[in-house]
Amino acid sequence: MTDARRILALNEQAIARVSNQRVAGHVRIGVMEDYGTKILPSLLADIAQRFPLVQVDMEIGLTALLLKRLGSSFDAVIAMHPEGTSEGDLICRERAIWAAASTRAVEELDPLPVALSYPDCLFRAWAIEALDKAGRPWRLAYVSPSLAATEAIVGQGLAITVVKGSMLAPGLRGINPGRYVPPLPGAEIRLHRAATSSAGASLVINHLAQRLRQSALGS
């Protein structure tokens, strides 16, 4: 019976591979920079292999701005939300953490130099709200929509920033909330789908959602 089940499973996989080979179309994805540079490339390579006739376009941006274009510009948007949001499909939960250079205790400076993105960034809003609520003196030392540029500034010991706990870059360290920095809210990563997507696009997006969840679990 075990051998029969294994043969049946292999047969179903073979059928799925053949079906995937026939899926064609165009899929447009909007995603945050950290996911777009650190998570999505390998998953898109997997999609290219499984769905060779599908064209995938990816655009990096801020959650708030990408979601406004869901349906018109994107078939799917991978976005970050405050913990407890019901919109979209839950991919995983994330921790928002303060990050600083491994070689300098920047968090002890007064006022605290902070590097943040543009006003539409959720992490920027959380950072400012948390610092003001805690009465922690701070200054906006660097502003850029580029996470890579911000991480480079932080890595030089010029400021601290807020990143996802799972995305802490080499050369940076997380700062525990306490004397120097306040706690931050919890976050969720969610995938939003356009109602007008084609059947082929929906199939690819379903596969992407599954692979994202597996990646979040480390598998």
Side-chain angles (χ1 to χ4, degrees):
M1 182 65 70
T2 302
D3 289 340
R5 289 197 185 109
R6 185 180 299 113
I7 292 170
L8 180 60
L10 291 172
N11 183 57
E12 290 175 348
Q13 291 173 10
I15 293 172
R17 281 196 297 270
V18 172
S19 298
N20 291 344
Q21 296 288 320
R22 297 173 181 169
V23 175
H26 187 192
V27 182
R28 305 158 301 165
I29 300 171
V31 64
M32 306 156 289
E33 183 181 349
D34 49 8
Y35 265 64
T37 58
K38 301 176 182 180
I39 302 295
L40 263 291
S42 63
L43 302 190
L44 293 181
D46 176 59
I47 287 174
Q49 183 176 16
R50 288 174 179 265
F51 305 95
L53 300 181
V54 172
Q55 174 184 331
V56 179
D57 296 342
M58 182 177 74
E59 181 176 331
I60 286 173
L62 297 175
T63 288
L65 301 181
L66 293 173
L67 285 175
K68 291 179 180 178
R69 298 163 57 199
L70 180 65
S72 60
S73 300
F74 304 116
D75 296 295
V77 170
I78 302 164
M80 184 181 70
H81 296 277
E83 196 171 37
T85 301
S86 59
E87 303 171 17
D89 300 330
L90 178 65
I91 297 300
C92 65
R93 291 181 172 84
E94 272 284 1
R95 291 185 307 122
I97 66 169
W98 297 99
S102 300
T103 56
R104 189 184 182 199
V106 188
E107 66 273 20
E108 298 180 10
L109 298 178
D110 194 5
L112 179 68
V114 182
L116 298 171
S117 185
Y118 287 170
D120 288 306
C121 175
L122 191 56
F123 275 169
R124 173 179 170 134
W126 288 359
I128 292 175
E129 182 179 359
L131 290 168
D132 288 345
K133 184 177 180 180
R136 176 69 162 99
W138 65 279
R139 65 182 179 87
L140 191 56
Y142 185 79
V143 178
S144 174
S146 167
L147 175 63
T150 298
E151 288 176 340
I153 289 292
V154 172
Q156 292 299 313
L158 302 176
I160 71 169
T161 192
V162 178
V163 299
K164 298 178 182 69
S166 66
M167 301 280 181
L168 191 64
L172 303 186
R173 60 183 171 83
I175 309 171
N176 293 325
R179 178 180 177 183
Y180 298 112
V181 293
L184 294 164
E188 292 180 352
I189 306 303
R190 290 181 168 268
L191 185 142
H192 301 256
R193 307 162 188 262
T196 55
S197 296
S198 67
S202 295
L203 183 63
V204 173
I205 293 166
N206 288 341
H207 178 72
L208 176 61
Q210 179 184 7
R211 294 289 288 110
L212 280 168
R213 292 189 181 98
Q214 291 172 347
S215 177
L217 292 173
S219 59

